[in-house]
Amino acid sequence: MQVLSSQDASAMPADAVTLPAGKQGGRLMLLVKLAVTLAVLGVLGAKADWPALLARVAGADPVWLAAGFTAKLLAVVCAGERWRDALWAAGERVSHGLALRLMFTGLFFGQVLPGALGGDVVRGWLTYRGGASSAAVVLALVLDRLLALVGCILLLFLGLPHLVATAPPSVAWAGPAAVLLLAFAMIVGLQADRLPLPGVLLRPPVRAVRAQVARLRAALLSRAALVGLLHSAAVHLCTVFAVIAYAQALGIPVRVLDALAVVPMTIFAAALPISLNGWGVREGAFVAGFALYGLGATDALALSLMIGLSVTLSSLPGGLLWLSLKGPKGAGRP
């Protein structure tokens, strides 16, 4: 089934999407994430040389600043293509333009809806409202996250030789070891449907989960998933380039190999669901990672803040796209 006609006639709902209210547990988790974010940012902020940081920003090269921000916008385009690939692997097809609009809208809500209800949920919901089956949307969301993870793993191992050659072994191998354990757990999980179970346990919910695992494994081995993996790697490479560009703009000495060794780890850290949209955790990872290459905490913090600000600014078009979806019936089609 195709989510859209060639004219995107049923691309998105014309009426506003109503999101469910948060539960008590969700509010508690939000408070915990807020506390982690504020605590880490507070510690780093107290140690930063703010006059020097502001002086660097004031004297930044506008050309390199524009290059860094353009790279982050290009990362959104690649992420939109990855979402299209994930849907393709799940059995649904959407246009390139719609996939990009869905990604921008999801990113926008990922900024304004911290907690369990984030951009992925909104993006999946809008795709479902556009005509995709619920099973395909759930499969595509899981596949999209897995492709993002594997793409980052590829980048991490690309920078690993430089990290091993320049950092203490306990530091250099800690990240890859954790990633390998995660990859092993993922491989085992993808075999869950093949585990022999007593007939008494094969209830309908269990059979449904096993069927979805089988579909996910098949989707991961598809041509669409391979294309999605390339787009995922491109997303992370755009972030690496953005870090290098911002370093050039601010006059911060960061080598390409240093960025390639550190940035994938910071992406992993920011993706952990322990802070608000990665704020605080990303900054801490930048400071700790680039300290291996002699970069001061203030400079590393400046780079991280530039990346975080770029993510926020690049998500703003999603708010405009969301507003364009509201209105009289038929008025919100992209």
Side-chain angles (χ1 to χ4, degrees):
M1 172 186 136
Q2 189 167 353
V3 177
L4 298 174
S5 67
S6 58
Q7 291 79 25
D8 289 350
S10 60
M12 302 289 266
D15 54 333
V17 176
T18 302
L19 300 173
K23 298 181 180 180
Q24 186 64 35
R27 296 191 191 98
L28 178 59
M29 182 58 67
L30 175 58
L31 290 176
V32 171
K33 292 183 177 182
L34 179 61
V36 171
T37 300
L38 293 178
V40 177
L41 287 177
V43 171
L44 295 175
K47 295 181 178 180
D49 184 350
W50 287 101
L53 190 153
L54 294 175
R56 279 192 181 277
V57 174
D61 185 335
V63 175
W64 279 109
L65 284 179
F69 184 68
T70 300
K72 289 306 293 179
L73 281 177
L74 184 58
V76 180
V77 175
C78 294
E81 286 298 297
R82 187 184 65 208
W83 176 237
R84 181 175 181 270
D85 297 330
L87 285 169
W88 178 16
E92 302 284 359
R93 300 301 292 267
V94 299
S95 68
H96 295 280
L98 177 60
L100 182 59
R101 297 178 191 203
L102 289 167
M103 180 57 66
F104 266 116
T105 303
L107 285 176
F108 174 76
F109 277 97
Q111 301 298 314
V112 301
L113 288 178
L117 185 63
D120 285 357
V121 174
V122 174
R123 174 161 37 97
W125 174 249
L126 292 175
T127 306
Y128 167 71
R129 288 290 298 269
S133 70
S134 58
V137 168
V138 171
L139 178 61
L141 285 171
V142 175
L143 182 59
D144 183 65
R145 291 300 91 207
L146 286 177
L147 289 175
L149 174 64
V150 176
C152 194
I153 290 174
L154 292 178
L155 210 61
L156 185 151
F157 282 98
L158 187 62
L160 184 60
H162 179 66
L163 185 64
V164 170
T166 54
S170 59
V171 175
W173 289 104
V179 169
L180 287 175
L181 288 175
L182 181 61
F184 176 76
M186 183 177 71
I187 292 172
V188 171
L190 289 171
Q191 305 300 318
D193 62 306
R194 294 174 173 173
L195 296 176
L197 293 177
V200 69
L201 296 179
L202 292 176
R203 303 294 184 184
V206 175
R207 287 199 296 268
V209 170
R210 287 164 69 94
Q212 195 73 347
V213 170
R215 289 188 65 194
L216 177 60
R217 185 174 59 249
L220 278 170
L221 298 176
S222 67
R223 175 175 175 269
L226 177 59
V227 176
L229 181 58
L230 296 177
H231 284 131
S232 179
V235 171
H236 302 315
L237 281 173
C238 285
T239 301
V240 173
F241 177 82
V243 170
I244 296 170
Y246 286 139
Q248 290 290 326
L250 299 175
I252 297 174
V254 171
R255 296 180 299 173
V256 173
L257 288 178
D258 296 347
L260 195 59
V262 173
V263 172
M265 289 295 188
T266 69
I267 294 173
F268 267 109
L272 295 174
I274 57 175
S275 68
L276 297 181
N277 301 313
W279 284 101
V281 175
R282 176 180 53 242
E283 283 65 40
F286 262 78
V287 171
F290 280 111
L292 296 172
Y293 301 102
L295 201 64
T298 298
D299 289 342
L301 179 61
L303 290 177
S304 181
L305 291 176
M306 292 299 296
I307 292 296
L309 183 60
S310 296
V311 172
T312 300
L313 291 177
S314 62
S315 72
L316 294 182
L320 298 177
L321 290 172
W322 167 251
L323 293 175
S324 73
L325 300 177
K326 298 184 178 183
K329 187 174 182 60
R333 293 168 185 157

